[in-house]
Amino acid sequence: MMRLPAFSLLAASTLAEAVEMLRDHPGSTVIGAGTDLLPNMKRRQVRPATLVSLGAIPGLVGIRRDDTGGWVIGALTVLGDVARFPDLPGALRAAAGSVASPQIRNTATVGGNLCVDTRCSFINVTEEWRAASGPCLKAGGDVCWVAPKGEQCWAVSSTDLAPAAIVLGASVRLVGPGGERTIPAADLYRPDGIDHIAKARDEILTEVSIPPLAGLRSTYLKLRRRQAVDFPILGVAAAVRTGDDGIVEEARIVLGAIAPAPLRAAATEEFLVGKRLTPEVVEEAGRIAALPVRPFDNTDLGSRYRKWMTATFVRRALRELE
């Protein structure tokens, strides 16, 4: 049995107190439900000396409408509640409902999934396995075993909510020592498997805001080895707005779990605008979406299969939105 390393636990009662605890304890990190953090600690992927619990802070749980008619979701809202909330956009409900198992969805939080660590078959293993093979870049070594000739970590983004949030034009609120700031969800992620998130260690993600969608229909599809529990090896979030004549006026497609950050399929979006979602158009859209995809062999199944399934899943998503 893998056991947790020693750590101190601090429980904050306010956001200001949590920020202060993070500032005063170097090497600390926040914990909400811990469904991803604690397994990573058991594998000694991360060793925070102090965990700052957010569970007692009021105002971080709930789903509500804002003054614009959009949605605001607290960071500690559990994924099960998001999946079951009927009025939320389809992509967000589908993404939340695809995470892990019912037990985990009723514990894991929105903020935790948006900030979930990148994953790779060379890092998400036991400490003994990493020691036997030699540490990779993410484990403190000097080589990426996925791409040994490169200088970058290619661990993949494994959040299901991020592609959905990006395709819906969502923004996130961050609170830290310098005050608070709101950034687009797309700007929260960096194309680096180690430095993968544009949030300072002493900043806390407190809520997600989704603007009014004005007729934008959306969905999210997930590829994984098993249809429960597993992290994505491909995620496709798609959204389209069509006119009364069926012509696509706006298209958004975001690919997850194939690179260190979610990828916007801009060429596919441009191709779709001005067309009807006929079988021929959908077929070509899938082909265009898969063209620039270069997944590595660092997750379940092979990179070629994931590239092939990118085209397939984009087509399936678009067919759902016809």
Side-chain angles (χ1 to χ4, degrees), residues 102-277:
Q103 295 92 334
I104 292 176
R105 288 194 293 273
N106 288 332
T107 303
T109 64
V110 168
N113 190 265
L114 286 171
C115 297
V116 76
D117 198 7
T118 53
R119 296 179 61 83
C120 177
S121 54
F122 289 94
I123 184 70
N124 291 94
V125 291
T126 64
E127 187 176 27
E128 291 78 10
W129 195 98
R130 293 195 305 273
S133 64
C136 65
L137 282 176
K138 193 171 176 65
D142 57 5
V143 63
C144 172
W145 293 119
V146 176
K149 294 183 179 180
E151 298 180 352
Q152 178 183 339
C153 170
W154 288 98
V156 297
S157 173
S158 296
T159 159
D160 286 291
L161 287 190
I166 294 170
V167 90
L168 295 171
S171 59
V172 296
R173 177 173 173 254
L174 303 171
V175 176
E180 66 177 69
R181 60 189 179 112
T182 299
I183 63 173
D187 293 346
L188 185 61
Y189 303 99
R190 294 171 174 155
D192 186 313
I194 299 173
D195 188 21
H196 66 99
I197 197 162
K199 180 183 76 65
R201 185 192 61 80
D202 53 4
E203 282 188 310
I204 300 170
L205 193 155
T206 62
E207 64 184 27
V208 183
S209 297
I210 301 171
L213 299 177
L216 195 74
R217 307 189 305 279
S218 65
T219 190
Y220 175 80
L221 299 180
K222 175 177 180 174
L223 173 66
R224 48 188 162 175
R225 182 181 290 275
R226 299 171 293 177
Q227 288 306 307
V229 181
D230 286 341
F231 283 88
I233 53 178
L234 171 67
V236 174
V240 297
R241 179 184 292 111
T242 55
D244 295 337
D245 56 1
I247 300 295
V248 175
E249 298 175 345
E250 182 179 7
R252 306 176 189 174
I253 297 176
V254 178
L255 310 176
I258 55 174
L263 299 178
R264 191 81 179 253
T268 311
E269 296 172 349
E270 183 179 352
F271 166 77
L272 288 170
V273 173
K275 299 179 177 67
R276 288 185 174 85
L277 293 177

